[in-house]
Amino acid sequence: MNSKYSEAKKIVEKYGQQHLLNFYDKLTEDKKEKLLDQILSIDFEQVKKLYDNIQNHTEKKDNIIEPIEYLDKSKIDIKEKNYLDDIGKEIIKEGKLAAVTMAGGQGTRLGFNGPKGTYDIGLSSKKSLFELLCDSLKEANQKYNVTIPWYIMTSEENNADTENFFKSKNYFGYPKENIIFFKQGKFPMIDTNGKILLNEEGLIKEAADGHGGVYIAMLKNKVIEDMKKRGIDWIFIGGIDNVLVKMVDPTLIGLAIDKNVSAAGKSVVKAYPEEKVGVFCNKNGRPSVIEYTEMPKDMSTQKDNNGELKFGESHILCNLFNLKSIEKISENILPYHPAFKKANYLNNDGKIVEASEPNAYKFEAFLFDAFEELDDMAILRVKREEEFAPVKNSDAKGVDCPKTARELYENYQNNK
Ligand code: UTP
């Protein structure tokens, strides 16, 4: 056996993960190499810590949670709106804005077999989510006489399909050199006993590391470097699954610059206190997003002097950062959150187990966990019907599904 094998063997023995090499002899030479590389690159200490945390339900420290200040876009007086827009428009026209679309998710809830961005929500144009987003960038390019670089984050699972889709559609007529794909990181999945799973091929089962993986992926894939070369100062980061996402918004840029902050986020008013969304807040004096699962009931119903929810600014994954703040964030590792999911795997008898119920943990970083590293953040409240049409579930669920997104999109287009 080679020295790489001996090294890998030592590691798996140290961490009680010997089963990972059970089927080594049966693998092809290529796969043997791949498995050893996987073992040598995984941070087993971190995997162990994450599993221990799940077991011990580590106590959360007492945080001081306070409402966050925001500006309501629909209520800004026209003079101030023009002032902010002029600042933002200047940045866009000078070619200092880039857009990042995070499209590495699994789209499990939608139940579509393929990258979510290739999904057609049923518009008469039959356009995919990718094309709808591309349309909005093309419109902005024309308006401001620039070409905004569009960075698309994919994952190991969907990168090839995504790139092939763009090729087959001739990049929707967008200048090809301004569409840049980059892959997010991955993390091994573990079972309820903390054992790392093997996939159907006998390799380590890995899953995308969550949308919070975007910062480190931008660093590792030299996206930050590329942006510097292109003279980019501001970056909009959003998801692929909001049909009404406004990636190019001068008001948001103007607000961040005017407030002298390194990041800004958009919010929509929480529909009702129990709505399952995270909301912007200040946590221990820093901007943050509190998940609905962490929010005590009395807090979720509290109202301010205007009769509005005190914690009512829903986070919609529409955020703007300056390049320096992304550089800073990308140097630190964000916390990983466990998610209990269904995962097919190869068991110790060499049989493939098809999961019908959640049976394993995957670990995800959340984009908004990085907000606490920022001193301050500007929040712009926008109208749900103008900027938020998520595609999360299948139509059978009836909410945040292709049907609701299609209706919102059509209404918006008709009233524009
Ligand atoms: P979500 O977590 O809401 O949805 O991602 P999802 O992963 O697409 O679908 P489910 O949860 O499996 O049903 C919100 C946005 O973040 C991106 C998604 O592609 C989507 O645009 N995302 C999520 C990533 O890019 N990578 C991830 O690891 C997770």
Side-chain angles (χ1 to χ4, degrees):
M1 291 285 168
N2 61 31
S3 65
K4 216 169 173 183
Y5 177 87
S6 319
E7 205 184 325
K9 189 159 179 279
K10 246 192 244 160
I11 297 176
V12 293
E13 279 170 358
K14 176 171 174 198
Y15 290 96
Q17 305 278 4
Q18 297 91 321
H19 63 287
L20 295 178
L21 289 173
N22 277 359
F23 307 107
Y24 179 80
D25 291 337
K26 293 194 179 130
L27 299 177
T28 60
E29 287 308 309
D30 268 10
K31 287 194 178 149
K32 278 183 180 161
E33 200 59 21
K34 185 137 193 236
L35 178 63
L36 296 182
D37 285 341
Q38 282 183 311
I39 293 175
L40 295 179
S41 67
I42 286 171
D43 184 344
F44 282 82
E45 195 58 42
Q46 190 184 22
V47 174
K48 182 178 172 309
K49 268 196 204 138
L50 288 169
Y51 176 67
D52 290 347
N53 281 347
I54 300 172
Q55 296 313 103
N56 302 332
H57 296 292
T58 36
E59 272 307 299
K60 286 198 181 99
K61 67 173 179 147
D62 278 340
N63 291 310
I64 301 169
I65 308 288
E66 291 161 314
I68 200 159
E69 248 183 59
Y70 62 85
L71 186 69
D72 188 334
K73 193 174 184 180
S74 66
K75 293 190 181 147
I76 314 175
D77 76 61
I78 187 74
K79 231 171 112 191
E80 190 184 355
K81 172 95 172 31
N82 288 340
Y83 166 74
L84 296 177
D85 284 358
D86 286 346
I87 300 175
K89 281 178 189 167
E90 205 51 34
I91 294 288
I92 304 167
K93 285 185 196 157
E94 287 172 358
K96 292 181 177 167
L97 176 75
V100 172
T101 296
M102 300 178 296
Q106 280 180 302
T108 350
R109 287 168 288 171
L110 181 62
F112 170 64
N113 196 12
K116 208 193 242 185
T118 64
Y119 188 76
D120 158 11
I121 61 165
L123 294 167
S124 54
S125 65
K126 302 210 175 310
K127 287 183 177 176
S128 62
L129 292 173
F130 278 131
E131 185 164 7
L132 294 175
L133 263 63
C134 190
D135 279 354
S136 75
L137 282 180
K138 284 201 266 190
E139 202 180 307
N141 285 347
Q142 213 168 20
K143 189 165 172 188
Y144 299 108
N145 195 24
V146 284
T147 305
I148 295 168
W150 188 20
Y151 297 85
I152 298 175
M153 182 171 84
T154 63
S155 52
E156 191 64 49
E157 293 96 323
N158 71 14
N159 181 70
D161 287 348
T162 304
E163 288 204 31
N164 288 337
F165 182 75
F166 272 82
K167 243 181 247 156
S168 73
K169 301 286 175 187
N170 207 13
Y171 300 84
F172 311 114
Y174 209 83
K176 198 175 143 213
E177 63 284 5
N178 286 298
I179 299 189
I180 304 103
F181 299 94
F182 66 103
K183 267 195 256 177
Q184 70 176 108
K186 49 209 170 138
F187 205 82
M189 292 187 76
I190 58 171
D191 70 10
T192 49
N193 296 313
K195 300 289 177 202
I196 294 177
L197 295 180
L198 287 176
N199 66 18
E200 290 92 330
E201 295 178 87
L203 298 173
I204 289 177
K205 187 160 183 99
E206 294 177 302
D209 62 355
H211 45 58
V214 66
Y215 310 107
I216 189 132
M218 285 175 72
L219 178 74
K220 283 192 174 164
N221 293 291
K222 300 196 173 8
V223 168
I224 295 179
E225 210 176 297
D226 187 63
M227 286 177 170
K228 274 188 190 164
K229 274 192 208 137
R230 291 174 188 251
I232 301 297
D233 279 344
W234 291 92
I235 300 110
F236 179 88
I237 305 187
I240 182 59
D241 51 6
N242 173 8
V243 187
L244 290 179
V245 62
K246 295 220 168 3
M247 298 188 273
V248 186
D249 184 345
T251 321
L252 188 69
I253 304 169
L255 179 65
I257 294 175
D258 184 52
K259 278 197 85 182
N260 196 20
V261 291
S262 51
K266 287 189 179 182
S267 67
V268 299
V269 179
K270 199 176 183 185
Y272 47 93
E274 299 77 25
E275 196 186 5
K276 291 183 173 171
V277 290
V279 294
F280 282 105
C281 66
N282 271 316
K283 192 195 253 181
N284 308 321
R286 299 280 183 140
S288 183
V289 168
I290 178 164
E291 281 283 59
Y292 65 93
T293 44
E294 294 171 37
M295 169 109 73
K297 189 166 189 305
D298 60 330
M299 201 181 247
S300 65
T301 51
Q302 277 173 23
K303 301 229 167 126
D304 64 15
N305 294 339
N306 302 322
E308 293 197 86
L309 290 175
K310 260 191 180 176
F311 296 93
E313 301 311 305
S314 307
H315 173 250
I316 53 169
L317 210 59
C318 288
N319 300 295
L320 179 80
F321 300 83
N322 69 15
L323 192 56
K324 283 205 182 84
S325 67
I326 292 196
E327 243 184 323
K328 182 176 154 208
I329 292 168
S330 68
E331 281 162 10
N332 298 323
I333 294 175
L334 292 178
Y336 281 105
H337 303 263
F340 202 42
K341 298 265 178 179
K342 285 193 266 187
N344 299 344
Y345 68 100
L346 194 67
N347 72 10
N348 286 342
D349 301 325
K351 297 222 166 67
I352 292 169
V353 177
E354 305 257 350
S356 54
E357 293 295 325
N359 59 333
Y361 293 101
K362 80 182 262 207
F363 294 92
E364 292 187 321
F366 297 158
L367 173 124
F368 48 78
D369 276 336
F371 295 169
E372 289 172 48
E373 292 177 40
L374 305 165
D375 293 332
D376 202 359
M377 205 172 160
I379 309 299
L380 185 66
R381 180 196 276 187
V382 297
K383 286 189 179 159
R384 196 178 268 261
E385 65 274 22
E386 289 178 2
E387 306 212 18
F388 192 47
V391 184
K392 298 285 179 195
N393 307 306
S394 66
D395 276 341
K397 274 260 177 188
V399 284
D400 297 345
C401 58
K403 180 171 181 285
T404 52
R406 187 167 66 238
E407 283 164 6
L408 284 161
Y409 182 84
E410 281 167 348
N411 277 343
Y412 176 73
Q413 293 298 333
N414 293 338
N415 296 322
K416 219 159 67 164

